Amino acid sequence: MSEDYSEGEKADVPGEIPTLSDGSNNTKGRMSRVSSVDVFENWFAQHKEEKLYIVLISLHGLIRGENMELGRDSDTGGQVKYVVELARALASMPGVYRVDLLTRQVSAPGVDSSYSEPTEMLNPLDTDNTERAHGESSGAYIVRIPFGPKDKYVPKELLWPHIPEFVDRALSSIMKTSKALGDEICDGGQVWPVSIHGHYADAGDSAALLSGALNVPMVFTGHSLGRDKLEQLLKQGRPKEEINNNYKIMRRIEAEELCLDASEIVITSTKQEIEEQWNLYDGFDPVLERKLRARMKRGVSCLGRFMPRMVVIPPGMEFHHIVPHDVDEDGDGEDPQTADPPIWSEIMRFFSNPRKPMILALARPDPKKNLVTLVKAFGECRPLRDLANLTLIMGNRDDIDELSTTNSSVLLSILKLIDKYDLYGQVAMPKHHKQSDVPEIYRLAAKTKGVFINPAFIEPFGLTLIEAGAHGLPTVATINGGPVDIHRVLDNGLLVDPHNQQAISDALLKLVSDKQLWTKCRQNGLKNIHLFSWPEHCKTYLARIASCKQRSPKWQRVEFENADPDSPSDSLRDIHDISLNLKLSLDGEKGSSVDTNLDAEDTTSERKAKLVKAISTLSQKKISTEKIDSKMPTLKRRKHIFVISVDCSTTSDLLSVVKTVMDVAGGSTGFILSTSMTVSETHAALISGGLKAQDFDAVICNSGSELYFTAPASEDKTVLPYTHDPDYHSHIEFRWGGENLRKTLVRWIRSVEEKKKMKEGEILCEDEASSTNYCLSFKVKDPASIPPMKELRKLMRIQALRCNVVFCQNGARLNVIPALASRSQALRYLLVRWGIDLSNMVVFVGDSGDTDYEGLLGGVHKTVILKGIASDLRELHGNRSYPMEDVTPLNSPNITEAEECGRDAIKVALEKLGINLLKP
C-alpha cells in the first residue's frame, strides 16, 4: 500500500491479495494464517535475476536482531524494531542480494556484549520456501561501526560531533562490501548500493554525506521530526535555548533540511506527516513540488529547482508467525491442553477478576504518550471499571528512582491515581517483560475480548495499532497523526481526541460493552491487515527505488582530453518555457507572491556578451594534459598526507602557514592545498611565494568544487601545471542548477538592491573570473547588507535550489557550489576514486575559517588546529543556527592544537596524534 503525495495518486491495493473470510465462515479454533507471500509470485518472476545491495542506517539506541531491549531507554524504541524488520524483510525479497543495517558499535559497562560484535547476520523471514539466490555474502546483516567515545553508550543528542567519523568508517565498510559482492556475483568490479536509506535525522545526515561521497541515490525516513518537536515544546512554554541545550534541536533540524536537499525519496508513514510536519521545513513546499512535477511531466525545464519525492508507505509487519484464535461467547478459544505463557500469570496476578475484558496500553512512560489521561479516564468512569481491567505495559524497570526524571514522574503520577481512585485489583503494570512476550500480551487481551488503546497526543505512525489488529484486537487511537490512516485501512476501532478524557472513556466503554461492534472491529482488522505486511511494504519500497535515476561511481579512463573548468560548456543553453512560471520569493518566505519571473531569459545581447567573454577566457587558460595515473602511485605511497586547509585573510599569511607546515614534514609526506580560490589564483599565490605546483600532490579549489592533480611544468608558460580529475564533476553534480541557479541568484541580488534602493552591484556582483561550471562566485561589496549564512540557506531551500553556499576570503567572496560538494567531501572522493586512506591524512586548519570550517574538523583523519591563525574569521560564523560546540568533537583523539604556527609547536601537536616525522 503506497500513496505518492506529489501526484495525488490513490493507493494501490493489489487485487490479487487474498483476503481473509469474514467471521461468519470461521470455524471455532484456529483462524487462517496471515500471509502475503503468494502475492509476490509475479514480482519474483520479474526481479529474481537482479542482485541488489541496499544500505540502511540507524545510528542511535541499541540494535540487535534477537531479544531487542525495546523501552530500555528513549533511544531504543520502535525505530529499532522497525529497521531490523525492514532489513530482514528486504533481504527476503526476490532481486535483493544483500542488505546492511549500519549502526554504532557499543562496548560499554552495563551494555550487553552482543552490541560490540562487528557484524550480526539476521535470520531470514519465513518466505514459504520461495526460491532466491544465496551466496556467501548474501542476506541481511547488522554492521556495527565504531565511532565516538570508546567504552561509552552515548545518547542521540550527543552523537552529532561524531557523525563525520561514522561517515568515514561507514564509507570504508561499504566499499569493502561492494568489492566482496563484485567478486562473488559478477566476477570482479564492485556492486554499489542501489540506495542508502537514513532513518532519523542523525542517520539522514550521515546518509546524505555517504550518498554524495559514493554518488548513489539517498532515501530518508524521519520517524519523528525536529521542527514538529520544537513547535510542541515551545507551546509548552519551554525556552528555545533550553530546548536546544537538551535536544540539540537546531542541529537536528539542519540535518533534516540537508536530507531534503539530498534525498531522491522521502518515505513517510502518513499523509499527516507530509501536510503538517514536513510542510514546516524550508526545503519542502507541496505547492511548488506539484508545480515542478507537472513541469517534469511536460518535459519543461524546472530551472534548476529540485524537490524530493514524498511517498507514503506505511511500516510493515511480519505476520507468518501470528495465528489468531477464534473467540467464543465465553471468551474461550484456546486449546485447554496448552500451557498459558508465563507473562499471562504475571499480568493476571494484579486483577481481582481476571476474566473481565482487558484494556491494553503499550508505551514508554513518556508524557507525550498521555498515559496519565488514560488512567484518569478509566478511574472516573464507573461503568468502564465495572466491565474491564486496565493493563499498562510501560517498558522495563527495577526501581522507579533509577529512571529518568520524566519517566519516573509519569509512573509516580499513575501510582497516585491508582490510589486516588482505589483501582487496586483493576490495573496491572508489570515491571518486566521480554520482546517475545509482546505477541502473547496482545493475545491475552484478545482472549478476554479486550481493547488496545494508543492515546498519545501525537502519534507519527502507530505500529502497535497494526500489531494489535493482527492479533484480532479492536483499537481506540488518537485522532492526531498516523492512526487516522491506519483506521481508514483497517476500520477496526474508534478514533478519539487525546485531550478529551470523556471521549476516551466513552470509546473504550462502547467497544467492551457492544459485543457486535467488538466482533465487527476484530473481523475487519484481521481481514485488512495484509495491507500492512512487510512483503507489501517491500514491494512498494523496491518499486520506488527502481523509479529513481540510478547513480553509482563510474570512472572514465585516465587518458582524457583537455578539461577547462572555466569553459561555458552547455550552461548557456537557451531554456525556454511558456507555462507554470516559477516566482522568486524575495523575502525568504514560503508562498510569497512577488512577481519575479524566473522563466525570463537574458537578452540576446547579454548572452552574446557572455559567450564572447567565455571564449576569450578559454583562449587564455589551459590545463595540462598530463595523465592522472602518473601521480596516483606516488600519492598512494605517502606515509602521511598533509592537507593544508587554513583560511587566511591575506595571501602572505597563507603562504607563511604553508611554508611552516612543509618545513616540518618528512620526505615521505605528501601535500594537498585546499582553498576557496580558483586554480589560477592558487597557482599565482604559490608562485608569488617562491613555491612550485609540484611541491603538492593535489589542490582542492573553489571551496571543494574543483579537484586537480599537479603535473610537470610545461615549456608552454600559458599551460598551468595541473590536471583536472575527469570524474570529479560527474560525481558532485547531483541537483546542480548551473546556469539556471546563476540567473536566480542574479535576480535575487538585483531585487535586494532595488528594495534597499541601492545601485546594481553595490551589495553583491558576479565574479565571472572566479566562477566555473560548478562554482558560482560573487564579490561581496557590502557585507552588512548580506543576510547571514543561515538566512541564505533558507532562501535557497525555499526556492528549491539545492546548493552549498560558502562565505570565504574573510567574507569578501561568496561561493555557491553543488549541495553535496565541499572540501571535506573532496577528501572522501580521494578514498572512493583512488583508494587513498583517510586515516593517513592530517588536516591543518586555523582557529576559524570559511563557513565550511566545521566540516573539516571531524572524521578519521587527524586535525591540527593552529592557534592564533584565522581568529579574525570567527565573525563569519556569527548568527549560526546552532553553536559550533554542538558539532565539534572536542575530546576526539584525532584532534589537537598547536599553540602557534611554528615548527616546534606543530611537531609537538603531531606527536600528540602519534605522528613522528623523521625529518630533523
Side-chain angles (χ1 to χ4, degrees):
M1 187 181 66
S2 165
E3 186 160 354
D4 189 326
Y5 183 79
S6 62
E7 296 178 14
E9 299 168 356
K10 292 184 179 180
D12 298 324
V13 182
E16 68 271 27
I17 297 181
T19 59
L20 296 175
S21 58
D22 61 27
S24 61
N25 295 324
N26 288 335
T27 57
K28 184 175 178 179
R30 294 182 181 273
M31 298 177 68
S32 301
R33 180 182 295 271
V34 183
S35 177
S36 303
V37 175
D38 50 342
V39 175
F40 302 105
E41 291 177 353
N42 292 336
W43 174 267
F44 172 72
Q46 295 173 14
H47 299 276
K48 63 181 178 180
E49 299 303 322
E50 296 182 23
K51 291 182 171 59
L52 303 179
Y53 173 32
I54 297 173
V55 173
L56 311 177
I57 307 175
S58 183
L59 295 184
H60 60 261
L62 297 170
I63 298 180
R64 63 186 180 191
E66 305 297 332
N67 300 318
M68 288 177 268
E69 299 183 83
L70 304 184
R72 171 192 170 115
D73 55 61
S74 60
D75 288 351
T76 309
Q79 180 180 324
V80 169
K81 185 172 185 286
Y82 175 94
V83 294
V84 169
E85 292 191 352
L86 174 61
R88 187 182 277 127
L90 282 172
S92 298
M93 293 295 289
V96 178
Y97 193 79
R98 166 95 177 205
V99 178
D100 280 345
L101 169 56
L102 306 187
T103 189
R104 182 168 182 253
Q105 186 182 48
V106 180
S107 177
V111 176
D112 191 83
S113 61
S114 60
Y115 300 110
S116 65
E117 293 296 323
T119 59
E120 176 186 346
M121 187 173 185
L122 296 174
N123 295 326
L125 294 179
D126 178 1
T127 55
D128 290 359
N129 298 318
T130 300
E131 297 181 7
R132 62 183 307 261
H134 289 281
E136 184 179 347
S137 302
S138 66
Y141 294 82
I142 297 174
V143 180
R144 300 185 179 92
I145 306 293
F147 71 99
K150 291 181 172 60
D151 304 323
K152 188 176 182 181
Y153 177 44
V154 180
K156 61 179 177 291
E157 292 80 10
L158 301 182
L159 282 178
W160 293 110
H162 311 291
I163 295 295
E165 182 185 358
F166 167 79
V167 171
D168 290 349
R169 297 191 189 281
L171 190 56
S172 296
S173 174
I174 292 171
M175 291 177 63
K176 182 179 178 181
T177 302
S178 296
K179 182 65 170 66
L181 293 177
D183 293 340
E184 184 173 307
I185 63 180
C186 58
D187 298 324
Q190 289 185 283
V191 175
W192 297 105
V194 69
S195 67
I196 298 179
H197 187 168
H199 293 266
Y200 195 79
D202 48 11
D205 193 81
S206 305
L209 296 177
L210 285 167
S211 166
L214 290 169
N215 192 30
V216 299
M218 174 188 167
V219 180
F220 180 62
T221 300
H223 292 276
S224 68
L225 297 179
R227 285 198 187 274
D228 182 63
K229 180 167 186 172
L230 175 60
E231 189 177 71
Q232 298 300 321
L233 292 172
L234 289 173
K235 286 180 180 178
Q236 295 174 16
R238 299 178 64 175
K240 188 172 182 179
E241 184 177 351
E242 175 195 316
I243 295 170
N244 197 54
N245 287 339
N246 291 341
Y247 301 105
K248 306 296 185 266
I249 199 78
M250 299 312 297
R251 178 62 183 90
R252 175 180 171 182
I253 289 171
E254 174 57 29
E256 290 160 345
E257 292 281 11
L258 177 63
C259 290
L260 290 171
D261 291 339
S263 296
E264 297 264 9
I265 294 173
V266 175
I267 294 177
T268 72
S269 299
T270 64
K271 289 181 67 175
Q272 183 269 350
E273 186 179 340
I274 300 173
E275 295 168 350
E276 299 182 22
Q277 296 184 48
W278 276 118
N279 198 27
L280 298 173
Y281 284 76
D282 301 329
F284 180 72
D285 181 340
V287 175
L288 179 56
E289 200 273 350
R290 289 191 180 98
K291 183 178 288 189
L292 293 175
R293 190 69 57 191
R295 291 172 73 106
M296 290 174 64
K297 279 189 169 183
R298 296 186 188 184
V300 174
S301 169
C302 290
L303 303 175
R305 313 291 192 87
F306 301 94
M307 195 75 75
R309 196 79 175 259
M310 291 275 175
V311 179
V312 178
I313 311 179
M317 193 178 157
E318 180 49 39
F319 301 127
H320 75 273
H321 62 287
I322 299 175
V323 184
H325 288 73
D326 196 9
V327 181
D328 64 14
E329 292 300 321
D330 298 321
D332 294 322
E334 302 292 330
D335 184 347
Q337 303 299 320
T338 304
D340 290 343
I343 191 64
W344 285 17
S345 59
E346 177 63 21
I347 292 172
M348 292 299 197
R349 69 184 178 87
F350 285 87
F351 300 136
S352 56
N353 182 359
R355 292 182 64 84
K356 289 197 297 185
M358 190 175 89
I359 297 168
L360 172 64
L362 197 157
R364 297 192 314 273
D366 187 300
K368 65 186 179 184
K369 298 300 182 181
N370 200 27
L371 296 176
V372 171
T373 302
L374 170 61
V375 177
K376 287 181 179 179
F378 181 77
E380 294 181 9
C381 183
R382 174 57 65 177
L384 184 60
R385 289 171 56 178
D386 291 342
L387 282 176
N389 293 318
L390 175 63
T391 297
L392 305 174
I393 306 296
M394 299 178 289
N396 290 283
R397 64 187 184 280
D398 290 318
D399 188 335
I400 291 178
D401 291 336
E402 295 176 354
L403 300 176
S404 68
T405 303
T406 53
N407 288 358
S408 62
S409 175
V410 171
L411 278 165
L412 289 172
S413 296
I414 290 173
L415 288 172
K416 290 179 180 179
L417 289 172
I418 291 173
D419 188 72
K420 176 180 178 180
Y421 298 117
D422 194 15
L423 299 177
Y424 299 104
Q426 294 179 282
V427 177
M429 42 189 299
K431 297 177 69 171
H432 297 283
H433 73 282
K434 300 190 295 288
Q435 181 61 26
S436 58
D437 291 331
V438 173
E440 302 297 345
I441 296 172
Y442 287 124
R443 194 157 65 91
L444 174 61
K447 173 182 168 64
T448 65
K449 294 195 173 181
V451 176
F452 179 81
I453 180 168
N454 180 336
F457 290 119
I458 295 180
E459 180 57 62
F461 181 64
L463 192 59
T464 52
L465 295 169
I466 296 177
E467 293 174 341
H471 287 84
L473 192 58
T475 62
V476 172
T478 175
I479 202 168
N480 297 326
V484 175
D485 292 334
I486 295 174
H487 178 266
R488 187 176 69 246
V489 175
L490 295 184
D491 190 22
N492 70 330
L494 303 172
L495 297 174
V496 295
D497 179 355
H499 298 277
N500 189 332
Q501 180 179 312
Q502 186 66 44
I504 292 174
S505 58
D506 288 348
L508 291 170
L509 181 61
K510 186 173 184 179
L511 278 172
V512 296
S513 61
D514 188 336
K515 298 305 179 182
Q516 281 191 323
L517 176 62
W518 187 92
T519 300
K520 179 183 177 182
C521 288
R522 170 182 168 83
Q523 292 172 349
N524 285 348
L526 292 172
K527 180 178 67 174
N528 299 319
I529 197 65
H530 63 267
L531 294 172
F532 291 103
S533 69
W534 274 121
E536 177 72 14
H537 176 101
C538 291
K539 187 185 82 166
T540 306
Y541 180 103
L542 293 170
R544 291 300 181 183
I545 288 178
S547 70
C548 294
K549 180 181 179 181
Q550 288 304 307
R551 298 178 284 125
S552 64
K554 289 182 173 61
W555 314 128
Q556 299 180 31
R557 294 173 58 86
V558 292
E559 297 82 9
F560 58 94
E561 299 178 358
N562 278 12
D564 183 358
D566 294 331
S567 67
S569 185
D570 59 353
S571 62
L572 298 180
R573 289 177 183 167
D574 181 17
I575 302 175
H576 186 65
D577 181 29
I578 58 173
S579 63
L580 293 170
N581 287 343
L582 302 175
K583 311 298 182 181
L584 173 64
S585 171
L586 307 182
D587 299 318
E589 296 297 333
K590 291 163 73 170
S592 173
S593 58
V594 178
D595 189 16
T596 305
N597 187 357
L598 298 183
D599 294 282
E601 291 295 319
D602 293 332
T603 65
T604 303
S605 59
E606 287 175 327
R607 301 207 327 264
K608 182 177 179 180
K610 288 175 187 172
L611 187 57
V612 170
K613 181 172 179 58
I615 294 172
S616 174
T617 302
L618 185 61
S619 66
Q620 294 171 13
K621 296 182 181 179
K622 298 178 183 178
I623 300 297
S624 171
T625 59
E626 181 74 15
K627 296 178 183 179
I628 285 181
D629 57 348
S630 66
K631 195 74 179 179
M632 272 306 110
T634 304
L635 193 56
K636 287 183 178 181
R637 286 197 301 267
R638 300 294 196 189
K639 184 177 181 181
H640 304 293
I641 300 174
F642 284 5
V643 182
I644 303 174
S645 298
V646 179
D647 303 316
C648 296
S649 299
T650 65
T651 301
S652 60
D653 289 344
L654 174 61
L655 291 171
S656 176
V657 172
V658 170
K659 291 178 180 179
T660 303
V661 172
M662 296 181 79
D663 185 49
V664 174
S668 61
T669 302
F671 296 96
I672 296 175
L673 184 59
S674 177
T675 78
S676 62
M677 297 185 291
T678 66
V679 65
S680 301
E681 292 170 332
T682 301
H683 185 67
L686 294 178
I687 297 302
S688 70
L691 297 171
K692 305 188 299 293
Q694 293 73 26
D695 293 331
F696 298 86
D697 295 289
V699 291
I700 297 169
C701 299
N702 295 89
S703 300
S705 63
E706 309 285 338
L707 174 63
Y708 300 89
F709 298 97
T710 55
S714 171
E715 293 182 2
D716 184 352
K717 299 303 180 183
T718 64
V719 176
L720 297 180
Y722 304 92
T723 300
H724 195 276
D725 188 302
D727 300 304
Y728 188 63
H729 283 160
S730 64
H731 207 74
I732 65 171
E733 68 181 358
F734 177 65
R735 288 189 173 163
W736 176 237
E739 177 67 8
N740 289 309
L741 174 60
R742 184 198 67 80
K743 291 177 184 178
T744 302
L745 291 173
V746 168
R747 287 184 172 87
W748 169 71
I749 293 167
R750 291 175 184 170
S751 69
V752 171
E753 289 169 338
E754 290 174 2
K755 190 173 182 180
K756 292 180 177 290
K757 298 182 179 179
M758 301 175 72
K759 295 180 180 178
E760 183 176 330
E762 285 189 340
I763 296 178
L764 275 176
C765 66
E766 285 189 84
D767 187 354
E768 296 187 20
S770 300
S771 295
T772 72
N773 282 345
Y774 292 88
C775 177
L776 304 174
S777 289
F778 297 85
K779 294 178 181 177
V780 179
K781 296 296 188 68
D782 185 2
S785 299
I786 298 295
M789 178 54 58
K790 68 177 184 180
E791 294 300 325
L792 279 176
R793 286 176 177 165
K794 177 179 180 178
L795 174 72
M796 296 299 104
R797 285 166 172 159
I798 286 175
Q799 303 302 324
L801 297 168
R802 311 300 176 175
C803 55
N804 184 8
V805 182
V806 183
F807 274 123
C808 50
Q809 300 186 17
N810 200 17
R813 180 179 291 177
L814 185 69
N815 280 346
V816 181
I817 61 178
L820 296 177
S822 68
R823 290 187 286 175
S824 57
Q825 287 289 86
L827 299 181
R828 294 186 178 112
Y829 172 84
L830 292 175
L831 167 64
V832 175
R833 176 63 180 98
W834 300 107
I836 297 172
D837 191 345
L838 294 175
S839 65
N840 290 340
M841 294 184 181
V842 182
V843 177
F844 291 84
V845 298
D847 273 329
S848 188
D850 298 346
T851 51
D852 62 350
Y853 174 78
E854 71 181 60
L856 299 167
L857 298 179
V860 299
H861 66 254
K862 315 296 190 296
T863 302
V864 175
I865 300 174
L866 303 174
K867 300 296 292 181
I869 301 296
S871 302
D872 56 331
L873 300 185
R874 286 198 178 100
E875 292 184 6
L876 289 179
H877 298 266
N879 198 19
R880 292 172 54 87
S881 297
Y882 49 87
M884 185 72 79
E885 294 75 21
D886 287 357
V887 292
T888 306
L890 298 174
N891 298 320
S892 170
N894 287 339
I895 299 179
T896 190
E897 294 180 345
E899 291 303 318
E900 60 179 1
C901 185
R903 190 174 188 274
D904 292 339
I906 292 176
K907 285 187 67 176
V908 170
L910 292 172
E911 288 171 0
K912 290 180 182 177
L913 296 172
I915 299 173
N916 295 301
L917 301 172
L918 300 178
K919 186 173 180 177

